[in-house]
Amino acid sequence: MSLESGSKTWRGMAARLGAVGVLLALSAGLTGCELAAAPCRIASAGLKIVPVVGHVAAAPTDACAEVIDP
């Protein structure tokens, strides 16, 4: 095993460890009801981008998120 191949192995392990860390941080931030309300909140944010009618169209998804995660 050369030094270069060992370096690639360490980089791969570091990248995997970083990815696992990011997933753990995201899952810790979205626990319980917040995780269940996430699809409603994401849909609401997507609808609010639409000019003029976005906020009106997002009202049902906002209500959905509020019911799940008061």
Side-chain angles (χ1 to χ4, degrees):
M1 177 184 280
S2 69
L3 182 59
E4 187 176 309
S5 66
S7 175
K8 288 180 184 178
T9 303
W10 281 108
R11 269 189 249 140
M13 287 175 48
R16 286 189 196 109
L17 183 60
V20 168
V22 168
L23 287 174
L24 286 174
L26 287 174
S27 65
L30 294 173
T31 57
C33 293
E34 293 175 358
L35 185 60
C40 295
R41 296 199 189 277
I42 292 169
S44 174
L47 287 170
K48 287 179 182 176
I49 294 171
V50 178
V52 182
V53 297
H55 288 281
V56 174
T61 55
D62 287 337
C64 164
E66 287 299 317
V67 167
I68 294 171
D69 188 25

